[in-house]
Amino acid sequence: MTIVATPGAAGRSPMSEQRPAFELRDAFAEHGPSLLGFAVNALRDRGLAEDCVQETFLRAWRARERFDGDRGSVRTWLFAIIRRVVLDAHRSRARSPLLVPEHDAPESVHETDPLERIGIVDGLAQLSAPHRDAVVAIHVTGLSYQELSERTGVPVATLRTRVFYALRALRTALDEVDPTP
Amino acid sequence: MNDLEPDRRAELIAAALAGELTPDEGAELDALRADDPTIDAEFAELSAVAHALPAVERWDDVAPSASLAARIAALDDGGMADAPVTPIRSSRRLMRPLLLAVGAAACVGLGLGGGLLLAAPPAAVEGPPGTLGAVEEVAFEGAPESVEIDAALVAHTWGTETVLTVEGLDAGDAFTVVVVGEDGEEVESGTFLGSTVPIECRLNAAVLREDVAAVAIRAIDGGQIAVAEVPAV
């Protein structure tokens, strides 16, 4: 199996003459979890992440007349928007340190260039759950394929191919220039 | 081109990236590389991605809260039509740093009958170490007796290129080239696979030659294979 990224909701038939509409509730039901997954793992702050998702759908709703299904799927469009929203939130947070009780403080994140880290999280968020789970288990958590196989019941050979295609999809995602919404 | 099933190719590359090839699988992958020079290139590209992944630290699976769903529903009902939208900037840079940071490697096996060679450097430039474009021979020390390494550095405006010809490293095992700065900071330059035939690699690191103190070749578990101390420039 080589298909990794989850397909968009409003794919348009090449023969269709009618632009696909942007339906906010449908889009949220289909893509909200992935968008929130990206925001939560990029920012490590659940409240801020939900605000980013809300901001993303607000911007999409306001720009819905300009959405062009010929240029990409709803999913691609929403990810392009939330990428900007999350980046702005990250920069804003970095500029405005707040004094908060220790137990309320957002978790610290790795000292890697935050933009680099957010880019990787973005790519992971767009993988299917089985591919993401496998690549995270092997290359983030550090499990061996045998250990992961014993935990999941999935054969080692299947896990290896999942990780291969996940890495390939990540490589492609990181090399793409995102479309302007 | 080998007629191997695509998923077997994928499986072997994934196992090599994790350092989990069995000896038989290592030999199988090495034989496959003789017919399919894209394997080394893809291995190097995917290795760069795999090495960047630990920065994520973990992945939290989450579901939208009822509160968020209600806010989105309210938006659809027009309840937030007047909410302000903050101007945004282009996020193009967001997608670029990883590819700049992880280094790049290109390797081919020599003597495979295909006549493949990596692109030669531009016109030869002569000069002392640190001269832009000049080829600076360096000597790796500490390698096992069975391993032969010929190496050179080339100073560029963007960093330092390492050119390696390596023979004798275990086929199918992954090895990383690390540039060590004068301040001790290490920058990964790329990863390549050992082979039964000599391998020529060109690996790039965004560290200026004047800031390089040494170049090391390491096994995937971090164990040092060989190191080349280089003169200050």
Side-chain angles (χ1 to χ4, degrees):
Chain A
M1 183 172 67
T2 59
I3 298 173
V4 175
T6 305
R12 182 188 181 192
S13 165
M15 303 302 290
S16 171
E17 293 183 358
Q18 184 177 4
R19 283 187 173 187
F22 173 68
E23 299 292 343
L24 191 142
R25 290 176 195 252
D26 291 346
F28 177 72
E30 181 159 0
H31 307 299
S34 296
L35 293 166
L36 181 63
F38 165 53
V40 163
N41 286 283
L43 297 168
R44 295 275 185 246
D45 182 328
R46 175 65 186 252
L48 183 57
E50 293 213 348
D51 288 346
C52 286
V53 172
Q54 179 183 342
E55 175 76 5
T56 297
F57 278 93
L58 175 61
R59 292 182 184 189
W61 184 82
R62 286 190 170 164
R64 64 192 183 282
E65 297 300 328
R66 299 198 298 276
F67 170 66
D68 183 356
D70 287 336
R71 295 181 59 200
S73 67
V74 168
R75 183 181 182 84
T76 300
W77 186 53
L78 290 171
F79 263 95
I81 297 172
I82 199 168
R83 211 169 280 140
R84 291 161 169 74
V85 173
V86 164
L87 185 58
D88 283 349
H90 169 78
R91 287 172 171 158
S92 177
R93 186 172 65 181
R95 285 194 301 265
S96 307
L98 299 174
L99 293 175
V100 296
E102 186 175 0
H103 62 274
D104 288 338
E107 296 176 48
S108 63
V109 295
H110 201 279
E111 291 184 357
T112 303
D113 179 347
L115 296 184
E116 176 183 325
R117 185 180 167 281
I118 290 172
I120 300 166
V121 171
D122 183 357
L124 285 170
Q126 298 188 60
L127 298 177
S128 71
H131 287 84
R132 181 173 57 244
D133 290 347
V135 79
V136 167
I138 299 299
H139 289 290
V140 178
T141 307
L143 294 182
S144 69
Y145 282 103
Q146 186 59 43
E147 289 170 333
L148 182 58
S149 178
E150 289 168 2
R151 289 189 186 191
T152 62
V154 178
V156 166
T158 303
L159 293 171
R160 285 177 171 183
T161 53
R162 279 184 190 171
V163 169
F164 173 85
Y165 289 115
L167 290 171
R168 185 185 263 182
L170 280 171
R171 178 70 178 79
T172 300
L174 292 164
D175 203 22
E176 284 178 348
V177 176
D178 54 310
T180 302
Chain B
M1 185 72 70
N2 194 296
D3 292 332
L4 197 69
E5 287 293 324
D7 276 359
R8 182 60 179 163
R9 177 184 183 279
E11 190 185 332
L12 292 173
I13 293 175
L17 287 166
E20 292 190 15
L21 283 177
T22 65
D24 285 349
E25 288 174 330
E28 183 182 357
L29 180 60
D30 198 42
L32 182 61
R33 292 162 67 198
D35 285 343
D36 183 358
T38 67
I39 289 178
D40 280 61
E42 184 148 35
F43 175 84
E45 289 185 356
L46 299 188
S47 175
V49 178
H51 279 80
L53 276 169
V56 173
E57 295 187 315
R58 69 173 193 275
W59 186 267
D60 293 333
D61 283 315
V62 292
S65 66
S67 167
L68 177 60
R71 283 191 276 164
I72 299 299
L75 179 63
D76 200 27
D77 294 336
M80 297 184 65
D82 297 328
V85 174
T86 307
I88 55 177
R89 285 170 286 184
S90 168
S91 68
R92 285 172 183 258
R93 176 168 138 61
L94 180 61
M95 304 302 287
R96 311 309 298 176
L98 173 67
L99 302 179
L100 294 174
V102 295
C107 300
V108 296
L110 305 176
L112 297 176
L116 286 169
L117 286 174
L118 292 172
V125 174
E126 294 187 357
T131 303
L132 291 177
V135 176
E136 173 190 356
E137 302 290 338
V138 296
F140 273 86
E141 297 180 352
E145 285 188 7
S146 59
V147 176
E148 292 186 17
I149 305 170
D150 290 324
L153 302 183
V154 181
H156 294 282
T157 54
W158 45 261
T160 303
E161 178 182 15
T162 302
V163 184
L164 289 175
T165 302
V166 185
E167 184 174 11
L169 292 174
D170 289 343
D173 283 0
F175 299 90
T176 300
V177 176
V178 175
V179 171
V180 183
E182 292 283 0
D183 58 359
E185 183 178 358
E186 298 187 351
V187 176
E188 191 171 302
S189 197
T191 304
F192 66 93
L193 285 168
S195 175
T196 54
V197 300
I199 294 292
E200 181 182 298
C201 295
R202 295 182 178 276
L203 310 104
N204 300 325
V207 180
L208 294 177
R209 170 63 184 87
E210 64 201 54
D211 297 326
V212 177
V215 180
I217 300 174
R218 296 196 179 136
I220 199 166
D221 64 1
Q224 189 136 300
I225 303 297
V227 63
E229 306 284 348
V230 302
V233 298

